[in-house]
Amino acid sequence: MAAAAAAAASSFIGTRLPEIRSGSGRVQARFGFGKKAAPKKKAASKSFSDRPLWYPGAQAPEYLDGTLIGDYGFDPFGLGKPAEYLQFELDSLDQNLAKNEFGDIIGTRTETADVNSTPFQPYAEVFGLQRFRECELIHGRWAMLATLGALTVEAITGVTWQDAGKVELIEGSSYLGQPLPFSMTTLIWIEVLVIGYIEFQRNSELDPEKRLYPGGSYFDPLGLAADPEKKETLQLAEIKHARLAMVGFLGFAVQAAATGKGPLNNWATHLSDPLHTTILDTFGFFS
């Protein structure tokens, strides 16, 4: 009994709050591993009440407060909501009791969005908003390259993006119709090693801002982001184009699965008969 009272009063385990029901108590967990961090200074509050949202009259979630570039309060499934984990007491293990009770909930905890010095898993919370933003930017940048590449290659060579692999396997590796002095196996190994090294180096960066926008002579050779105001405008333009490219390439994939043609071929077919060559006709709604 004395041990239980001491444990309840311990600053490591928690502080017992007033009882909310007979025969039970509630403990608020307060964790303080390592050195205590200095209290963070509250940043000057900025009003985002008049910011544009993804549709008029929408109510932005509390965690989407407009601080992220391109934040329009869009998260209908709540995927970016901070995860809250329950903390339980140890189960009763008294061999003299007829029944040992399960441990009660003693509090909750949330993971921080800080980046750890672990190259393979830098984020403590894999479903955190900061990591989602990083994934969105990276996928969006790949989608912009893929969209441009699919349109350019089909316009120059006439080969659709979904058939490019077949041509490479049959006729050998080439780029824009020009043969390359490497086999497909060699190209795959080069890609794995180069991209693997780049990803390893990117994950070793602990600054969240530099992880998203590394800048420097390699990623900003013209110094376009030197001006802070211009930098914010460019970041907003990038995330908008990235989202549009991801939706656009999803459309390319649906078109390829439904018609077997490339985006330019489908566009030309639609222009030849706009009223009768639409997505509704393709899926047989008007047949």
Side-chain angles (χ1 to χ4, degrees):
M1 192 73 176
S10 170
S11 62
F12 174 78
I13 295 181
T15 305
R16 184 170 294 277
L17 301 179
E19 295 191 0
I20 55 176
R21 65 179 186 274
S22 59
S24 66
R26 185 179 176 183
V27 177
Q28 180 182 5
R30 297 179 182 177
F31 300 90
F33 299 99
K35 297 180 179 179
K36 290 186 178 180
K40 295 182 179 180
K41 296 180 179 179
K42 292 185 178 180
S45 59
K46 183 179 179 181
S47 176
F48 295 97
S49 58
D50 56 346
R51 65 188 177 105
L53 297 176
W54 65 288
Y55 79 88
Q59 185 70 28
E62 190 175 308
Y63 50 89
L64 296 180
D65 55 5
T67 54
L68 286 176
I69 299 293
D71 176 12
Y72 294 100
F74 180 79
D75 189 15
F77 299 109
L79 300 178
K81 184 178 180 180
E84 190 175 75
Y85 300 95
L86 297 177
Q87 294 287 322
F88 289 86
E89 287 181 319
L90 295 176
D91 297 340
S92 176
L93 299 176
D94 191 345
Q95 62 181 355
N96 297 318
L97 296 178
K99 180 180 179 182
N100 285 287
E101 300 293 338
F102 293 110
D104 293 330
I105 298 175
I106 61 174
T108 59
R109 63 185 290 266
T110 56
E111 292 286 355
T112 62
D114 297 335
V115 181
N116 302 320
S117 57
T118 307
F120 295 106
Q121 184 56 273
Y123 286 107
E125 178 52 72
V126 295
F127 296 106
L129 199 59
Q130 182 65 27
R131 181 176 178 272
F132 281 161
R133 168 44 58 93
E134 184 176 315
C135 293
E136 181 184 30
L137 262 180
I138 292 175
H139 284 82
R141 288 164 179 168
W142 280 114
M144 286 188 284
L145 288 172
T147 302
L148 178 62
L151 295 175
T152 303
V153 170
E154 185 177 354
I156 295 177
T157 66
V159 179
T160 60
W161 67 270
Q162 67 267 27
D163 292 330
K166 300 176 186 178
V167 176
E168 296 286 311
L169 290 174
I170 295 174
E171 300 181 3
S173 58
S174 63
Y175 187 76
L176 293 178
Q178 302 300 317
L180 296 176
F182 304 106
S183 65
M184 285 297 296
T185 303
T186 304
L187 285 176
I188 291 173
W189 275 110
I190 292 174
E191 181 179 354
V192 169
L193 293 176
V194 171
I195 299 300
Y197 173 77
I198 293 173
E199 280 296 292
F200 186 87
Q201 291 297 108
R202 185 181 65 83
N203 273 326
S204 64
E205 177 59 62
L206 303 183
D207 185 350
E209 179 70 14
K210 289 185 178 181
R211 288 178 66 87
L212 302 181
Y213 308 102
S217 58
Y218 291 106
F219 297 98
D220 189 17
L222 301 178
L224 299 177
D227 183 5
E229 293 185 4
K230 190 175 181 181
K231 178 181 178 180
E232 187 172 338
T233 302
L234 292 173
Q235 289 174 344
L236 179 60
E238 181 188 32
I239 195 66
K240 286 183 175 181
H241 284 82
R243 290 165 177 169
L244 183 61
M246 288 188 282
V247 174
F249 202 86
L250 176 62
F252 288 3
V254 173
Q255 283 181 327
T259 67
K261 301 177 183 179
L264 293 182
N265 198 333
N266 279 311
W267 178 242
T269 304
H270 171 70
L271 291 180
S272 65
D273 189 7
L275 297 179
H276 301 94
T277 310
T278 64
I279 187 173
L280 299 178
D281 294 284
T282 301
F283 287 102
F285 287 98
F286 296 137
S287 60

